[in-house]
Amino acid sequence: GGSGGEKQRGVWSLFKRKRCAQEDKERSISGNNWLWLPPKLLEEQDRGFRRSAHWGRGKAGAMTLTATACESQTELLAAQGAPSNMKAKLLCLYTGGTMGMKHNSAGMLEPIPGYLTEQIQDILNCHTSEALPDTTVVEYDTLLDSCDMNPENWKKIALDIQDNYQSYDGFLVIMGTDTMAYLASALSFMLENLGKTVVVTGSQIPFVKTYSDARRNLLSSMTLACSLDIPEVTLFFDDKLHRGNRSRKADSGSFDAFSSPNFPPLATMGLSVQVNKQLLLPQPKARFKVHTTMDFRVVVIKYVPYFDTNALMRLAKHGGATCRAIVLELYGTGNGPQNDERLLSALHVARQNGIVVVITSQCAAGSVLSTTYSINHHLTSIGVVPAGDMTTEATCAKLAYLFGKGLSPDAVATSLTVNLRGEIGNFSQGAQAKL
């Protein structure tokens, strides 16, 4: 407990000590008196009755704390003891990116093989009394800038998680930030029936720099990946744990580089870990499996006032073999020029040729609405699908996933508005089990 200055071992969250029901109600609690609690026990705070609390998850490294007759958190920890000789197991997949970069002989930053892996080992050696999990680092043979990562690299990450799924309690992917939201969105669909936490992170400044955000992001991600019951792909940056398929890179010059414009963070780091439990996905009921057949024949077009609609018509007429879907970023709530007959004609031709047309918004936040303006009605009348509040990153990943399932264009258009992984607001429910 907090008295005596001893810190219990395990995966801890810092939470200021409060009075419990059976403790002296008149006792004055010092501002420096802290109680270290496992995150899974935070919810048990101030409940003075018998309870049981489970620490950890899965067969690997799982452990249980059961309160029998303890009337307070202090008594609970004292009676059961913190899990000091058993730790959760974390698999860290290091793919490249800014975090592990150093300056080369030309003064340019590039990933240095072995460097970040050594730093992680140093961190583990320096924090033996802290609550970091037992961590295995797999450094990929070729460390890539995230701009060079493609669906084949995403597939490798998914398969590495699959191969090690039963042996680890959580997973951490370290990569560059530029395409991080694309990977997080893709993995959220590829990892079916995911029952453990996958955290994707990186940094804006290399670990080697004294003012870097790398150490903080790394330590926080390592801890959260094995301490929270969040069965989904997440993205951690600065102090927020976002749902992966709701995130996007929003600021290239800030430590707070990622946002989740239409969905609150799943958790926020402060003096304690604040988890928005009502937002979390439920534990799956089926066996975990990986779906790697993704069809990324998707074209994203940003519509501007001087857009050449003839180019869109050429794609609609002749692009069917190489383009399965067009994601068209329009204005505001999915608005476009209603007097441009060429636009509506091109989209109609695309639908006739089996190309799914999806409308997203150029706005950073908000949703595409299908009934607000007359142009929205014209678009939906020819079979154009509103993306709702999905990000463009999630929309493209979901299209690739649905086409990879072998669905017809009409089935893909219908399924696109069904919430599969928490990627979209409450447009349609009920088809989750089928996909």
Side-chain angles (χ1 to χ4, degrees), residues 180-221:
M180 186 179 291
Y182 290 93
L183 169 69
S185 295
L187 282 182
S188 73
F189 295 104
M190 298 170 75
L191 305 180
E192 299 179 343
N193 303 314
L194 179 64
K196 301 181 181 182
T197 304
V198 176
V199 181
V200 184
T201 195
S203 67
Q204 290 284 72
I205 298 177
F207 194 99
V208 70
K209 298 290 186 178
T210 56
Y211 55 93
S212 174
D213 56 332
R215 179 180 292 271
R216 178 182 181 182
N217 289 348
L218 181 60
L219 282 168
S220 299
S221 298

Side-chain angles (χ1 to χ4, degrees), residues 363-418:
C363 296
S367 180
V368 172
L369 305 176
S370 59
T371 59
T372 303
Y373 299 99
S374 58
I375 181 62
N376 302 127
H377 174 72
H378 292 320
L379 292 172
T380 54
S381 67
I382 61 176
V384 171
V385 184
D389 61 356
M390 282 192 295
T391 64
T392 298
E393 295 90 333
T395 300
C396 293
K398 191 173 184 178
L399 285 166
Y401 173 74
L402 294 173
F403 277 119
K405 285 285 188 179
L407 300 182
S408 67
D410 288 340
V412 168
T414 300
S415 300
L416 196 68
T417 59
V418 176

Side-chain angles (χ1 to χ4, degrees), residues 104-359:
N104 59 20
S105 57
M108 307 298 291
L109 286 172
E110 66 178 14
I112 303 299
Y115 171 70
L116 185 60
T117 300
E118 292 175 0
Q119 302 311 307
I120 294 175
Q121 186 58 55
D122 287 345
I123 288 176
L124 294 172
N125 292 337
C126 291
H127 291 267
T128 55
S129 62
E130 300 287 343
L132 294 179
D134 286 336
T135 302
T136 301
V137 179
V138 175
E139 180 175 309
Y140 282 15
D141 293 336
T142 302
L143 298 177
L144 296 174
D145 186 288
S146 70
C147 294
D148 290 320
M149 293 187 71
N150 56 45
E152 283 301 311
N153 302 119
W154 304 348
K155 177 180 177 180
K156 174 175 172 53
I157 293 171
L159 291 175
D160 282 343
I161 293 175
Q162 174 182 257
D163 293 343
N164 295 278
Y165 188 75
Q166 299 301 328
S167 301
Y168 292 89
D169 301 290
F171 301 88
L172 174 61
V173 179
I174 299 174
M175 65 174 295
T177 60
D178 287 339
T179 62
M180 186 179 291
Y182 290 93
L183 169 69
S185 295
L187 282 182
S188 73
F189 295 104
M190 298 170 75
L191 305 180
E192 299 179 343
N193 303 314
L194 179 64
K196 301 181 181 182
T197 304
V198 176
V199 181
V200 184
T201 195
S203 67
Q204 290 284 72
I205 298 177
F207 194 99
V208 70
K209 298 290 186 178
T210 56
Y211 55 93
S212 174
D213 56 332
R215 179 180 292 271
R216 178 182 181 182
N217 289 348
L218 181 60
L219 282 168
S220 299
S221 298
M222 291 172 69
T223 302
L224 294 177
C226 288
S227 64
L228 299 179
D229 187 16
I230 300 181
E232 53 183 291
V233 177
T234 63
L235 187 153
F236 182 85
F237 226 85
D238 196 34
D239 63 350
K240 302 179 187 68
L241 186 71
H242 296 296
R243 174 164 292 159
N245 56 37
R246 289 286 194 157
S247 63
R248 65 190 325 174
K249 189 173 183 180
D251 193 335
S252 63
S254 169
F255 287 157
D256 189 16
F258 285 83
S259 69
S260 179
N262 294 318
F263 199 76
L266 299 178
T268 304
M269 295 283 284
L271 292 182
S272 64
V273 182
Q274 303 296 328
V275 181
N276 291 320
K277 290 188 175 183
Q278 70 279 8
L279 304 178
L280 305 182
L281 296 179
Q283 278 287 344
K285 298 180 179 179
R287 180 182 294 273
F288 170 76
K289 60 180 179 178
V290 173
H291 180 81
T292 58
T293 305
M294 304 281 279
D295 191 339
F296 281 100
R297 287 179 288 174
V298 179
V299 175
V300 180
I301 299 174
K302 186 170 185 175
Y303 192 89
V304 294
Y306 42 86
F307 184 81
D308 182 6
T309 312
N310 293 326
L312 181 60
M313 178 62 81
R314 289 192 292 272
L315 177 62
K317 285 182 176 180
H318 309 295
T322 57
C323 175
R324 303 295 305 276
I326 297 173
V327 177
L328 188 59
E329 292 188 349
L330 294 181
Y331 315 125
T333 58
N335 309 319
Q338 57 183 333
N339 295 325
D340 189 347
E341 291 296 331
R342 296 174 303 168
L343 173 63
L344 294 175
S345 178
L347 298 180
H348 181 66
V349 170
R351 289 298 295 123
Q352 285 185 321
N353 289 335
I355 300 175
V356 175
V357 180
V358 185
I359 300 299

